[in-house]
Amino acid sequence: MNRIEQARQYTEQLKNKTPEEVIAFFLQHFGQKIGFATSMGAEDQVLTDMICSIDKSTNIFTLDTGRLFPETYQLIEETCKKYDIKINIFFPDYEKVEKMVREKGINLFYHSVENRELCCNIRKKDPLKRAFKDLDAWICGLRRDQSITRLNNQLVEWDEQNGLFKINPLIDWTEEQVWKYIKENKIPYNELHDKGFPSIGCQPCTRAILPGEDIRAGRWWWEQPEKRECGLHNRPVK
Ligand code: SF4
């Protein structure tokens, strides 16, 4: 069986399980070879809570692009303290960042999709590749109704780009379910969520949204909706 078929089989096998059951299954199945990539967003805070209730020694990591909101750094601190865990933080290669900024400017991402993708590659994709080294699978907080770019995502996917299984335990959850879980379990969350930011990334590339706008409308808002992925979730193989 190839990896794509294997991912489909996992999805079929686990489709009626709760997110906690899915997480417990894969933590046990992959052992040290699975990691959780958190962006510190609301969904990821739910997953951190679930993972810590199962196995606090799980490899939980995040990316510091150097352009995050102060509130996000505050949340990293608060989360580590609440769960008594260490979140592994990966940084971009400073030489690549310096070259990019020298050649294209500090806010290059506003000038073209190409520039924005270059910045996302250097500040996010490259560090993520280092974080993925030695892993066979990663856990991710994608939900299907977050964006038109995520409608086809599945519970388990073969992530061809990174050569890993990608596990999306909250794939079928609604935004309401996420917030109900956060409130009921008193989970720390980014205070920007209360100020009109449903999806939080880098400071210059995230804005608050208006009532009724798509929940990812505040990310790279100057681009067309179908382009608005940072490259971390592009082209999943179902
Ligand atoms: Fe750069 Fe914006 Fe991508 Fe962050 S989200 S890595 S600042 S282009």
Side-chain angles (χ1 to χ4, degrees):
M1 189 186 308
N2 67 32
R3 304 292 173 83
I4 299 170
E5 289 164 350
Q6 180 70 66
R8 285 199 189 110
Q9 192 183 74
Y10 284 138
T11 298
E12 186 59 27
Q13 180 186 346
L14 298 164
K15 66 183 178 190
N16 295 321
K17 302 288 185 191
T18 64
E20 290 93 332
E21 288 169 335
V22 170
I23 292 166
F25 174 86
F26 284 111
L27 291 186
Q28 159 128 66
H29 187 73
F30 286 108
Q32 300 299 307
K33 295 283 193 177
I34 190 168
F36 168 42
T38 175
S39 67
M40 309 306 295
E43 289 79 7
D44 290 339
Q45 290 301 97
V46 168
L47 290 175
T48 296
D49 186 82
M50 290 175 174
I51 288 169
C52 288
S53 73
I54 297 166
D55 183 358
K56 279 191 186 201
S57 71
T58 301
N59 172 14
I60 300 177
F61 60 89
T62 194
L63 309 178
D64 182 354
T65 63
R67 301 297 298 257
L68 301 179
F69 285 91
E71 289 85 347
T72 304
Y73 294 109
Q74 175 60 33
L75 182 61
I76 293 173
E77 278 264 308
E78 207 181 330
T79 304
C80 289
K81 196 168 165 199
K82 174 178 169 71
Y83 295 105
D84 190 23
I85 56 169
K86 282 202 167 45
I87 294 177
N88 299 314
I89 304 179
F90 287 81
F91 295 88
D93 179 319
Y94 75 91
E95 288 184 339
K96 286 187 182 172
V97 173
E98 287 177 2
K99 182 172 184 293
M100 173 180 73
V101 169
R102 197 163 47 237
E103 291 176 357
K104 298 189 179 274
I106 193 73
N107 284 340
L108 70 157
F109 27 78
Y110 294 135
H111 304 146
S112 67
V113 171
E114 188 187 41
N115 277 5
R116 200 269 291 165
E117 286 177 347
L118 175 69
C119 188
C120 281
N121 283 344
I122 289 175
R123 291 183 187 273
K124 292 181 175 181
K125 278 178 81 178
D126 289 354
L128 189 64
K129 269 189 208 138
R130 284 197 292 116
F132 281 157
K133 196 171 157 289
D134 301 327
L135 295 185
D136 288 339
W138 64 301
I139 299 170
C140 174
L142 286 191
R143 288 188 301 103
R144 203 171 279 128
D145 72 359
Q146 279 168 326
S147 159
I148 61 166
T149 58
R150 298 182 176 180
L151 291 176
N152 292 323
N153 284 90
Q154 303 294 320
L155 176 63
V156 184
E157 297 165 347
W158 173 245
D159 174 359
E160 185 71 44
Q161 197 177 338
N162 296 301
L164 300 170
F165 288 102
K166 181 174 173 183
I167 321 293
N168 304 309
L170 302 182
I171 191 71
D172 292 322
W173 273 34
T174 62
E175 191 183 357
E176 288 69 33
Q177 281 176 287
V178 170
W179 284 101
K180 187 166 181 279
Y181 187 98
I182 286 176
K183 300 289 179 187
E184 283 179 0
N185 294 284
K186 298 185 171 48
I187 293 172
Y189 63 89
N190 197 318
E191 60 190 67
L192 291 171
H193 287 308
D194 292 334
K195 297 175 182 171
F197 291 79
S199 172
I200 302 165
C202 293
Q203 189 168 26
C205 298
T206 310
R207 67 160 171 79
I209 64 165
L210 298 168
E213 274 192 299
D214 182 272
I215 61 171
R216 280 182 65 82
R219 302 293 297 279
W220 307 292
W221 63 92
W222 61 93
E223 294 183 2
Q224 294 301 308
E226 65 275 15
K227 300 273 188 195
R228 286 184 206 148
E229 287 291 358
C230 56
L232 306 189
H233 305 301
N234 284 355
R235 291 179 289 281
V237 177
K238 288 176 282 182

